[in-house]
Short mmCIF file of all heavy atoms in Angstrom, two decimals:
data_model
loop_
_atom_site.label_atom_id
_atom_site.label_comp_id
_atom_site.label_asym_id
_atom_site.label_seq_id
_atom_site.Cartn_x
_atom_site.Cartn_y
_atom_site.Cartn_z
N ILE P 366 12.08 118.51 115.31
CA ILE P 366 13.19 118.79 114.44
C ILE P 366 14.29 117.81 114.73
O ILE P 366 14.88 117.25 113.85
CB ILE P 366 13.67 120.22 114.62
CG1 ILE P 366 12.55 121.18 114.18
CG2 ILE P 366 14.93 120.46 113.87
CD1 ILE P 366 12.90 122.62 114.40
N LEU P 367 14.58 117.56 116.02
CA LEU P 367 15.66 116.65 116.37
C LEU P 367 15.36 115.19 116.01
O LEU P 367 16.24 114.44 115.62
CB LEU P 367 15.97 116.72 117.92
CG LEU P 367 16.65 118.04 118.36
CD1 LEU P 367 16.74 118.01 119.89
CD2 LEU P 367 17.94 118.26 117.73
N ILE P 368 14.07 114.84 116.10
CA ILE P 368 13.69 113.49 115.75
C ILE P 368 13.87 113.23 114.23
O ILE P 368 14.39 112.18 113.83
CB ILE P 368 12.22 113.20 116.18
CG1 ILE P 368 12.12 113.30 117.76
CG2 ILE P 368 11.76 111.83 115.68
CD1 ILE P 368 10.75 113.20 118.22
N SER P 369 13.50 114.13 113.42
CA SER P 369 13.60 113.93 112.03
C SER P 369 15.11 113.96 111.60
O SER P 369 15.52 113.26 110.69
CB SER P 369 12.92 115.10 111.21
OG SER P 369 13.43 116.35 111.54
N GLU P 370 15.91 114.80 112.25
CA GLU P 370 17.35 114.77 112.00
C GLU P 370 17.96 113.46 112.44
O GLU P 370 18.80 112.94 111.75
CB GLU P 370 18.01 115.95 112.69
CG GLU P 370 19.45 116.14 112.32
CD GLU P 370 20.09 117.41 112.89
OE1 GLU P 370 19.34 118.42 113.09
OE2 GLU P 370 21.28 117.40 113.13
N ALA P 371 17.58 112.94 113.55
CA ALA P 371 18.08 111.64 114.01
C ALA P 371 17.67 110.52 113.05
O ALA P 371 18.44 109.64 112.72
CB ALA P 371 17.53 111.35 115.43
N ALA P 372 16.44 110.61 112.53
CA ALA P 372 15.95 109.57 111.55
C ALA P 372 16.84 109.71 110.31
O ALA P 372 17.20 108.68 109.66
CB ALA P 372 14.50 109.75 111.28
N ARG P 373 17.10 110.89 109.88
CA ARG P 373 17.89 111.10 108.69
C ARG P 373 19.31 110.56 108.84
O ARG P 373 19.87 109.89 107.99
CB ARG P 373 17.93 112.62 108.30
CG ARG P 373 18.72 112.92 106.99
CD ARG P 373 18.69 114.43 106.71
NE ARG P 373 19.25 115.23 107.79
CZ ARG P 373 20.54 115.47 108.00
NH1 ARG P 373 21.42 114.89 107.20
NH2 ARG P 373 20.97 116.26 108.95
N ILE P 374 19.89 110.78 110.01
CA ILE P 374 21.23 110.34 110.31
C ILE P 374 21.23 108.79 110.35
O ILE P 374 22.15 108.11 109.88
CB ILE P 374 21.72 110.88 111.63
CG1 ILE P 374 22.02 112.37 111.43
CG2 ILE P 374 23.00 110.20 112.13
CD1 ILE P 374 22.36 113.15 112.73
N GLU P 375 20.15 108.18 110.94
CA GLU P 375 20.10 106.73 110.90
C GLU P 375 19.96 106.14 109.54
O GLU P 375 20.57 105.15 109.20
CB GLU P 375 18.85 106.28 111.77
CG GLU P 375 19.05 106.43 113.27
CD GLU P 375 17.83 106.04 114.03
OE1 GLU P 375 16.85 105.46 113.47
OE2 GLU P 375 17.85 106.18 115.31
N ASP P 376 19.19 106.82 108.68
CA ASP P 376 19.12 106.34 107.29
C ASP P 376 20.46 106.45 106.61
O ASP P 376 20.83 105.48 105.82
CB ASP P 376 18.08 107.19 106.52
CG ASP P 376 16.66 106.94 106.96
OD1 ASP P 376 16.43 105.87 107.58
OD2 ASP P 376 15.81 107.78 106.69
N GLN P 377 21.16 107.51 106.80
CA GLN P 377 22.52 107.63 106.28
C GLN P 377 23.47 106.53 106.76
O GLN P 377 24.25 105.97 106.06
CB GLN P 377 23.12 109.01 106.53
CG GLN P 377 22.43 110.16 105.76
CD GLN P 377 22.99 111.49 106.08
OE1 GLN P 377 23.72 111.66 107.05
NE2 GLN P 377 22.60 112.48 105.29
N LEU P 378 23.28 106.28 108.07
CA LEU P 378 24.15 105.23 108.65
C LEU P 378 23.84 103.87 108.04
O LEU P 378 24.77 103.10 107.78
CB LEU P 378 23.87 105.18 110.20
CG LEU P 378 24.71 104.16 110.98
CD1 LEU P 378 26.22 104.49 110.86
CD2 LEU P 378 24.28 104.12 112.41
N LYS P 379 22.59 103.57 107.77
CA LYS P 379 22.19 102.32 107.16
C LYS P 379 22.78 102.25 105.77
O LYS P 379 23.32 101.21 105.31
CB LYS P 379 20.71 102.14 107.12
CG LYS P 379 20.07 101.89 108.44
CD LYS P 379 18.56 101.77 108.31
CE LYS P 379 17.89 101.61 109.66
NZ LYS P 379 16.44 101.62 109.62
N MET P 380 22.73 103.34 105.01
CA MET P 380 23.25 103.33 103.63
C MET P 380 24.76 103.17 103.68
O MET P 380 25.31 102.46 102.84
CB MET P 380 22.89 104.65 102.89
CG MET P 380 21.40 104.76 102.57
SD MET P 380 20.88 106.19 101.61
CE MET P 380 22.10 107.44 101.70
N VAL P 381 25.48 103.74 104.63
CA VAL P 381 26.94 103.61 104.72
C VAL P 381 27.28 102.20 105.08
O VAL P 381 28.20 101.58 104.52
CB VAL P 381 27.47 104.65 105.74
CG1 VAL P 381 28.92 104.29 106.08
CG2 VAL P 381 27.35 106.03 105.27
N LYS P 382 26.49 101.55 105.97
CA LYS P 382 26.71 100.14 106.32
C LYS P 382 26.59 99.24 105.07
O LYS P 382 27.41 98.36 104.90
CB LYS P 382 25.77 99.70 107.39
CG LYS P 382 26.11 100.20 108.76
CD LYS P 382 25.20 99.63 109.83
CE LYS P 382 25.56 100.12 111.20
NZ LYS P 382 24.65 99.61 112.23
N VAL P 383 25.54 99.52 104.24
CA VAL P 383 25.36 98.70 103.08
C VAL P 383 26.53 98.90 102.13
O VAL P 383 27.06 97.93 101.51
CB VAL P 383 24.02 99.10 102.33
CG1 VAL P 383 23.92 98.51 100.97
CG2 VAL P 383 22.87 98.68 103.22
N LYS P 384 27.01 100.10 101.96
CA LYS P 384 28.10 100.42 101.09
C LYS P 384 29.37 99.69 101.55
O LYS P 384 30.20 99.19 100.79
CB LYS P 384 28.35 101.92 100.95
CG LYS P 384 27.27 102.61 100.09
CD LYS P 384 27.60 104.09 100.03
CE LYS P 384 26.52 104.81 99.27
NZ LYS P 384 26.77 106.27 99.17
N VAL P 385 29.56 99.69 102.90
CA VAL P 385 30.75 99.06 103.46
C VAL P 385 30.72 97.55 103.22
O VAL P 385 31.71 96.92 102.81
CB VAL P 385 30.89 99.37 104.97
CG1 VAL P 385 31.94 98.45 105.62
CG2 VAL P 385 31.27 100.82 105.14
N GLU P 386 29.53 96.94 103.41
CA GLU P 386 29.38 95.51 103.12
C GLU P 386 29.68 95.21 101.70
O GLU P 386 30.35 94.18 101.36
CB GLU P 386 27.96 95.05 103.52
CG GLU P 386 27.71 95.11 105.00
CD GLU P 386 26.28 94.80 105.37
OE1 GLU P 386 25.43 94.57 104.39
OE2 GLU P 386 25.96 94.79 106.53
N ARG P 387 29.19 95.97 100.79
CA ARG P 387 29.44 95.79 99.36
C ARG P 387 30.96 95.92 99.04
O ARG P 387 31.52 95.13 98.29
CB ARG P 387 28.62 96.77 98.51
CG ARG P 387 27.20 96.51 98.43
CD ARG P 387 26.57 97.52 97.51
NE ARG P 387 25.12 97.61 97.67
CZ ARG P 387 24.38 98.55 97.25
NH1 ARG P 387 24.91 99.59 96.61
NH2 ARG P 387 23.05 98.50 97.42
N SER P 388 31.54 96.91 99.68
CA SER P 388 33.02 97.15 99.49
C SER P 388 33.88 95.94 99.95
O SER P 388 34.83 95.52 99.30
CB SER P 388 33.44 98.42 100.20
OG SER P 388 32.82 99.55 99.63
N VAL P 389 33.45 95.41 101.10
CA VAL P 389 34.19 94.26 101.63
C VAL P 389 34.02 93.03 100.72
O VAL P 389 34.94 92.32 100.42
CB VAL P 389 33.68 93.90 103.07
CG1 VAL P 389 34.20 92.57 103.54
CG2 VAL P 389 34.06 95.02 104.04
N LYS P 390 32.75 92.84 100.25
CA LYS P 390 32.57 91.72 99.30
C LYS P 390 33.38 91.90 98.03
O LYS P 390 33.93 90.96 97.47
CB LYS P 390 31.07 91.62 98.91
CG LYS P 390 30.21 91.07 100.04
CD LYS P 390 28.77 91.03 99.61
CE LYS P 390 27.83 90.54 100.73
NZ LYS P 390 26.46 90.49 100.30
N LEU P 391 33.42 93.13 97.55
CA LEU P 391 34.23 93.41 96.34
C LEU P 391 35.66 93.15 96.60
O LEU P 391 36.35 92.52 95.73
CB LEU P 391 34.01 94.90 95.91
CG LEU P 391 34.77 95.38 94.64
CD1 LEU P 391 34.40 94.56 93.45
CD2 LEU P 391 34.58 96.83 94.47
N LEU P 392 36.22 93.54 97.67
CA LEU P 392 37.61 93.30 97.99
C LEU P 392 37.91 91.81 98.09
O LEU P 392 38.99 91.37 97.65
CB LEU P 392 38.01 93.98 99.28
CG LEU P 392 38.12 95.51 99.22
CD1 LEU P 392 38.34 96.11 100.55
CD2 LEU P 392 39.26 95.93 98.27
N ILE P 393 37.04 91.06 98.67
CA ILE P 393 37.20 89.60 98.73
C ILE P 393 37.26 88.97 97.37
O ILE P 393 38.10 88.20 97.03
CB ILE P 393 36.12 88.98 99.66
CG1 ILE P 393 36.31 89.36 101.11
CG2 ILE P 393 36.13 87.50 99.53
CD1 ILE P 393 35.20 89.03 101.99
N ASN P 394 36.32 89.42 96.54
CA ASN P 394 36.24 88.89 95.13
C ASN P 394 37.53 89.28 94.32
O ASN P 394 38.00 88.52 93.59
CB ASN P 394 35.02 89.37 94.43
CG ASN P 394 33.77 88.70 95.01
OD1 ASN P 394 33.82 87.63 95.57
ND2 ASN P 394 32.63 89.34 94.79
N LEU P 395 37.96 90.50 94.56
CA LEU P 395 39.17 90.93 93.79
C LEU P 395 40.39 90.18 94.24
O LEU P 395 41.26 89.87 93.46
CB LEU P 395 39.32 92.47 93.99
CG LEU P 395 38.33 93.29 93.27
CD1 LEU P 395 38.58 94.77 93.52
CD2 LEU P 395 38.46 93.14 91.72
N SER P 396 40.46 89.88 95.53
CA SER P 396 41.63 89.12 95.98
C SER P 396 41.66 87.73 95.37
O SER P 396 42.77 87.23 94.99
CB SER P 396 41.67 89.10 97.51
OG SER P 396 40.65 88.23 97.95
N SER P 397 40.55 87.08 95.23
CA SER P 397 40.49 85.78 94.63
C SER P 397 40.80 85.90 93.11
O SER P 397 41.47 85.07 92.52
CB SER P 397 39.14 85.09 94.84
OG SER P 397 38.10 85.78 94.17
N GLU P 398 40.35 87.01 92.53
CA GLU P 398 40.64 87.28 91.11
C GLU P 398 42.14 87.47 90.88
O GLU P 398 42.72 87.03 89.90
CB GLU P 398 39.83 88.46 90.61
CG GLU P 398 39.82 88.65 89.13
CD GLU P 398 39.06 87.62 88.39
OE1 GLU P 398 38.23 86.85 89.03
OE2 GLU P 398 39.22 87.56 87.20
N LYS P 399 42.80 88.10 91.86
CA LYS P 399 44.27 88.37 91.74
C LYS P 399 44.97 87.02 91.77
O LYS P 399 45.94 86.81 90.98
CB LYS P 399 44.71 89.19 92.92
CG LYS P 399 46.19 89.45 92.95
CD LYS P 399 46.64 90.18 94.18
CE LYS P 399 48.18 90.29 94.20
NZ LYS P 399 48.67 90.53 95.51
N GLU P 400 44.58 86.09 92.61
CA GLU P 400 45.16 84.82 92.69
C GLU P 400 44.99 84.05 91.34
O GLU P 400 45.95 83.43 90.89
CB GLU P 400 44.54 83.95 93.82
CG GLU P 400 44.90 84.47 95.21
CD GLU P 400 44.09 83.78 96.30
OE1 GLU P 400 43.37 82.78 96.00
OE2 GLU P 400 44.18 84.24 97.45
N ARG P 401 43.84 84.17 90.78
CA ARG P 401 43.59 83.53 89.45
C ARG P 401 44.46 84.12 88.33
O ARG P 401 45.08 83.33 87.59
CB ARG P 401 42.11 83.61 89.06
CG ARG P 401 41.76 82.83 87.84
CD ARG P 401 40.27 83.04 87.49
NE ARG P 401 40.04 84.37 86.97
CZ ARG P 401 40.20 84.78 85.71
NH1 ARG P 401 40.72 83.95 84.82
NH2 ARG P 401 39.91 86.00 85.33
N TRP P 402 44.64 85.40 88.41
CA TRP P 402 45.50 86.06 87.38
C TRP P 402 46.98 85.64 87.56
O TRP P 402 47.65 85.43 86.55
CB TRP P 402 45.35 87.58 87.51
CG TRP P 402 44.17 88.11 86.66
CD1 TRP P 402 42.89 88.19 87.05
CD2 TRP P 402 44.25 88.61 85.36
NE1 TRP P 402 42.14 88.69 86.08
CE2 TRP P 402 42.98 89.02 84.98
CE3 TRP P 402 45.30 88.79 84.45
CZ2 TRP P 402 42.63 89.53 83.75
CZ3 TRP P 402 44.98 89.35 83.20
CH2 TRP P 402 43.68 89.67 82.85
N GLU P 403 47.38 85.51 88.81
CA GLU P 403 48.74 85.11 89.02
C GLU P 403 48.97 83.69 88.57
O GLU P 403 50.02 83.37 87.96
CB GLU P 403 49.14 85.22 90.51
CG GLU P 403 49.26 86.65 91.03
CD GLU P 403 49.48 86.77 92.52
OE1 GLU P 403 49.28 85.75 93.24
OE2 GLU P 403 49.82 87.85 92.95
N HIS P 404 48.05 82.83 88.78
CA HIS P 404 48.13 81.44 88.38
C HIS P 404 48.15 81.41 86.80
O HIS P 404 49.01 80.71 86.18
CB HIS P 404 46.96 80.61 88.90
CG HIS P 404 47.05 79.21 88.51
ND1 HIS P 404 46.35 78.69 87.41
CD2 HIS P 404 47.69 78.15 89.08
CE1 HIS P 404 46.57 77.41 87.31
NE2 HIS P 404 47.42 77.09 88.29
N ASP P 405 47.25 82.13 86.17
CA ASP P 405 47.26 82.18 84.74
C ASP P 405 48.51 82.77 84.12
O ASP P 405 48.95 82.36 83.05
CB ASP P 405 45.99 82.96 84.22
CG ASP P 405 44.73 82.25 84.43
OD1 ASP P 405 44.73 81.06 84.76
OD2 ASP P 405 43.63 82.90 84.34
N SER P 406 49.07 83.77 84.78
CA SER P 406 50.33 84.32 84.32
C SER P 406 51.50 83.33 84.34
O SER P 406 52.24 83.23 83.43
CB SER P 406 50.69 85.52 85.17
OG SER P 406 51.96 86.07 84.83
N LYS P 407 51.50 82.49 85.41
CA LYS P 407 52.55 81.39 85.44
C LYS P 407 52.36 80.42 84.34
O LYS P 407 53.26 79.98 83.73
CB LYS P 407 52.52 80.79 86.80
CG LYS P 407 53.04 81.70 87.93
CD LYS P 407 52.93 80.98 89.29
CE LYS P 407 53.41 81.93 90.36
NZ LYS P 407 53.23 81.36 91.72
N ASP P 408 51.07 80.05 84.10
CA ASP P 408 50.79 79.11 82.98
C ASP P 408 51.21 79.75 81.67
O ASP P 408 51.68 79.02 80.78
CB ASP P 408 49.33 78.76 82.98
CG ASP P 408 48.95 77.79 84.12
OD1 ASP P 408 49.86 77.22 84.75
OD2 ASP P 408 47.74 77.63 84.34
N TYR P 409 51.00 81.01 81.48
CA TYR P 409 51.28 81.66 80.19
C TYR P 409 52.83 81.68 80.04
O TYR P 409 53.28 81.44 78.92
CB TYR P 409 50.78 83.11 80.25
CG TYR P 409 51.07 83.87 78.99
CD1 TYR P 409 50.38 83.59 77.81
CD2 TYR P 409 52.03 84.86 78.97
CE1 TYR P 409 50.70 84.29 76.66
CE2 TYR P 409 52.31 85.58 77.80
CZ TYR P 409 51.62 85.29 76.69
OH TYR P 409 51.95 85.98 75.55
N GLU P 410 53.56 81.86 81.12
CA GLU P 410 55.03 81.81 80.99
C GLU P 410 55.48 80.51 80.58
O GLU P 410 56.42 80.30 79.76
CB GLU P 410 55.65 82.23 82.31
CG GLU P 410 55.50 83.67 82.67
CD GLU P 410 56.06 84.03 84.05
OE1 GLU P 410 56.70 83.16 84.66
OE2 GLU P 410 55.87 85.18 84.47
N LYS P 411 54.89 79.40 81.09
CA LYS P 411 55.25 78.04 80.69
C LYS P 411 54.89 77.82 79.22
O LYS P 411 55.70 77.18 78.50
CB LYS P 411 54.46 77.02 81.57
CG LYS P 411 54.91 76.97 82.97
CD LYS P 411 54.04 75.97 83.76
CE LYS P 411 54.40 75.96 85.20
NZ LYS P 411 53.51 75.10 85.98
N GLN P 412 53.82 78.36 78.76
CA GLN P 412 53.46 78.16 77.39
C GLN P 412 54.40 78.86 76.45
O GLN P 412 54.73 78.42 75.37
CB GLN P 412 52.01 78.61 77.13
CG GLN P 412 50.96 77.74 77.79
CD GLN P 412 49.58 78.23 77.55
OE1 GLN P 412 49.34 79.29 77.00
NE2 GLN P 412 48.58 77.45 78.01
N THR P 413 54.86 80.09 76.78
CA THR P 413 55.75 80.80 75.96
C THR P 413 57.08 80.17 75.91
O THR P 413 57.79 80.34 74.91
CB THR P 413 55.89 82.29 76.42
OG1 THR P 413 56.30 82.34 77.79
CG2 THR P 413 54.57 83.01 76.26
N ALA P 414 57.44 79.46 76.94
CA ALA P 414 58.71 78.76 76.95
C ALA P 414 58.80 77.63 75.92
O ALA P 414 59.84 77.31 75.41
CB ALA P 414 59.07 78.23 78.39
N THR P 415 57.68 77.02 75.63
CA THR P 415 57.60 75.90 74.67
C THR P 415 57.04 76.29 73.33
O THR P 415 56.82 75.44 72.51
CB THR P 415 56.73 74.77 75.30
OG1 THR P 415 55.42 75.27 75.45
CG2 THR P 415 57.32 74.28 76.59
N LEU P 416 56.87 77.59 73.15
CA LEU P 416 56.26 78.02 71.85
C LEU P 416 57.08 77.69 70.63
O LEU P 416 56.52 77.17 69.63
CB LEU P 416 56.00 79.51 71.91
CG LEU P 416 55.34 80.18 70.75
CD1 LEU P 416 53.89 79.63 70.54
CD2 LEU P 416 55.28 81.70 70.86
N VAL P 417 58.36 77.87 70.69
CA VAL P 417 59.22 77.66 69.54
C VAL P 417 59.18 76.13 69.19
O VAL P 417 59.01 75.72 68.02
CB VAL P 417 60.67 78.03 69.86
CG1 VAL P 417 61.58 77.66 68.64
CG2 VAL P 417 60.70 79.55 70.04
N GLY P 418 59.31 75.24 70.15
CA GLY P 418 59.23 73.83 69.97
C GLY P 418 57.84 73.39 69.42
O GLY P 418 57.83 72.55 68.48
N ASP P 419 56.81 73.94 69.91
CA ASP P 419 55.48 73.65 69.44
C ASP P 419 55.32 74.06 67.97
O ASP P 419 54.73 73.32 67.12
CB ASP P 419 54.40 74.29 70.29
CG ASP P 419 54.36 73.80 71.69
OD1 ASP P 419 54.89 72.71 71.97
OD2 ASP P 419 53.72 74.42 72.55
N ALA P 420 55.87 75.21 67.59
CA ALA P 420 55.72 75.73 66.25
C ALA P 420 56.56 74.81 65.32
O ALA P 420 56.09 74.50 64.16
CB ALA P 420 56.19 77.15 66.12
N LEU P 421 57.70 74.41 65.75
CA LEU P 421 58.55 73.52 64.96
C LEU P 421 57.89 72.18 64.72
O LEU P 421 57.91 71.65 63.60
CB LEU P 421 59.92 73.34 65.65
CG LEU P 421 60.95 72.47 64.91
CD1 LEU P 421 61.30 73.16 63.58
CD2 LEU P 421 62.19 72.29 65.74
N LEU P 422 57.27 71.66 65.78
CA LEU P 422 56.62 70.39 65.65
C LEU P 422 55.39 70.46 64.73
O LEU P 422 55.18 69.59 63.89
CB LEU P 422 56.17 69.90 67.06
CG LEU P 422 55.55 68.53 67.16
CD1 LEU P 422 56.51 67.47 66.71
CD2 LEU P 422 55.02 68.25 68.53
N ALA P 423 54.65 71.55 64.82
CA ALA P 423 53.50 71.76 63.94
C ALA P 423 53.93 71.91 62.49
O ALA P 423 53.26 71.32 61.60
CB ALA P 423 52.70 72.94 64.43
N SER P 424 54.98 72.64 62.26
CA SER P 424 55.41 72.79 60.87
C SER P 424 55.97 71.52 60.31
O SER P 424 55.72 71.25 59.12
CB SER P 424 56.48 73.93 60.78
OG SER P 424 57.64 73.62 61.53
N ALA P 425 56.60 70.74 61.12
CA ALA P 425 57.12 69.43 60.66
C ALA P 425 56.01 68.45 60.31
O ALA P 425 55.99 67.80 59.32
CB ALA P 425 58.01 68.77 61.68
N PHE P 426 54.97 68.52 61.13
CA PHE P 426 53.72 67.67 60.86
C PHE P 426 53.05 68.11 59.60
O PHE P 426 52.65 67.26 58.78
CB PHE P 426 52.75 67.77 62.08
CG PHE P 426 51.57 67.05 61.84
CD1 PHE P 426 51.48 65.68 61.93
CD2 PHE P 426 50.30 67.73 61.59
CE1 PHE P 426 50.29 64.98 61.74
CE2 PHE P 426 49.12 67.05 61.37
CZ PHE P 426 49.09 65.61 61.46
N LEU P 427 52.90 69.41 59.40
CA LEU P 427 52.24 69.90 58.17
C LEU P 427 53.05 69.57 56.92
O LEU P 427 52.47 69.22 55.86
CB LEU P 427 51.99 71.43 58.27
CG LEU P 427 50.96 71.82 59.28
CD1 LEU P 427 50.87 73.38 59.38
CD2 LEU P 427 49.58 71.26 58.90
N ALA P 428 54.37 69.66 57.03
CA ALA P 428 55.21 69.29 55.89
C ALA P 428 55.10 67.78 55.58
O ALA P 428 55.01 67.38 54.41
CB ALA P 428 56.64 69.66 56.20
N TYR P 429 55.04 66.96 56.60
CA TYR P 429 54.91 65.53 56.44
C TYR P 429 53.53 65.20 55.82
O TYR P 429 53.48 64.40 54.87
CB TYR P 429 55.10 64.86 57.76
CG TYR P 429 54.95 63.31 57.76
CD1 TYR P 429 55.90 62.55 57.13
CD2 TYR P 429 53.73 62.74 58.22
CE1 TYR P 429 55.81 61.13 57.08
CE2 TYR P 429 53.71 61.34 58.17
CZ TYR P 429 54.67 60.57 57.57
OH TYR P 429 54.50 59.25 57.56
N ILE P 430 52.45 65.76 56.34
CA ILE P 430 51.10 65.53 55.81
C ILE P 430 50.99 66.13 54.34
O ILE P 430 50.26 65.50 53.54
CB ILE P 430 50.08 66.16 56.72
CG1 ILE P 430 50.06 65.40 58.07
CG2 ILE P 430 48.69 66.13 56.13
CD1 ILE P 430 49.71 63.90 57.96
N GLY P 431 51.65 67.18 54.14
CA GLY P 431 51.55 67.76 52.79
C GLY P 431 52.14 66.87 51.70
O GLY P 431 51.67 66.92 50.53
N TYR P 432 53.03 66.06 52.04
CA TYR P 432 53.61 65.09 51.06
C TYR P 432 52.52 64.13 50.58
O TYR P 432 52.46 63.77 49.43
CB TYR P 432 54.73 64.29 51.73
CG TYR P 432 55.33 63.19 50.83
CD1 TYR P 432 56.11 63.51 49.74
CD2 TYR P 432 55.01 61.89 51.11
CE1 TYR P 432 56.60 62.50 48.96
CE2 TYR P 432 55.47 60.87 50.32
CZ TYR P 432 56.28 61.17 49.22
OH TYR P 432 56.77 60.17 48.45
N PHE P 433 51.67 63.67 51.48
CA PHE P 433 50.63 62.70 51.15
C PHE P 433 49.48 63.33 50.44
O PHE P 433 48.60 62.65 49.85
CB PHE P 433 50.11 61.99 52.39
CG PHE P 433 51.15 61.09 52.99
CD1 PHE P 433 51.71 61.43 54.22
CD2 PHE P 433 51.59 59.96 52.41
CE1 PHE P 433 52.65 60.65 54.83
CE2 PHE P 433 52.55 59.17 52.97
CZ PHE P 433 53.07 59.51 54.20
N ASN P 434 49.33 64.66 50.41
CA ASN P 434 48.27 65.36 49.77
C ASN P 434 48.49 65.39 48.26
O ASN P 434 47.54 65.66 47.52
CB ASN P 434 48.10 66.73 50.37
CG ASN P 434 46.88 67.43 49.98
OD1 ASN P 434 45.91 66.76 49.65
ND2 ASN P 434 46.82 68.73 50.09
N GLN P 435 49.63 65.22 47.81
CA GLN P 435 49.92 65.34 46.37
C GLN P 435 49.58 64.13 45.59
O GLN P 435 49.50 63.01 45.89
CB GLN P 435 51.38 65.68 46.13
CG GLN P 435 51.69 67.06 46.72
CD GLN P 435 53.17 67.38 46.55
OE1 GLN P 435 53.96 66.57 46.04
NE2 GLN P 435 53.53 68.51 46.95
#
């Protein structure tokens, strides 16, 4: 009885170790993903800062090209 219970506990211990290893890998991947999101967020802020000028430039270009279409 004690041997089977010890084997069961060892199996549970192995499963817990596997789960812990997976959890550590997940945390490492999530931390790198956080860094990527922060970098993308800063890039997005830069793009929104120039959005009005980009739209103005695009509309001016379309108005200029539209003249030659007629």
Side-chain angles (χ1 to χ4, degrees):
I366 296 174
L367 290 177
I368 295 173
S369 64
E370 188 173 330
R373 184 179 56 82
I374 291 173
E375 285 179 6
D376 290 341
Q377 288 178 348
L378 182 62
K379 288 178 185 176
M380 290 186 342
V381 168
K382 284 183 180 180
V383 168
K384 288 180 182 179
V385 167
E386 289 172 2
R387 288 184 196 163
S388 298
V389 168
K390 288 180 183 178
L391 178 63
L392 287 173
I393 291 170
N394 289 337
L395 287 176
S396 67
S397 66
E398 191 69 15
K399 178 186 174 199
E400 292 171 7
R401 186 181 69 83
W402 274 84
E403 287 175 349
H404 181 265
D405 288 348
S406 176
K407 290 178 184 176
D408 286 346
Y409 181 72
E410 288 176 9
K411 289 178 186 176
Q412 289 177 357
T413 57
T415 61
L416 182 64
V417 174
D419 293 344
L421 182 63
L422 184 63
S424 62
F426 176 75
L427 290 175
Y429 179 73
I430 293 299
Y432 174 75
F433 293 110
N434 194 21
Q435 295 178 356

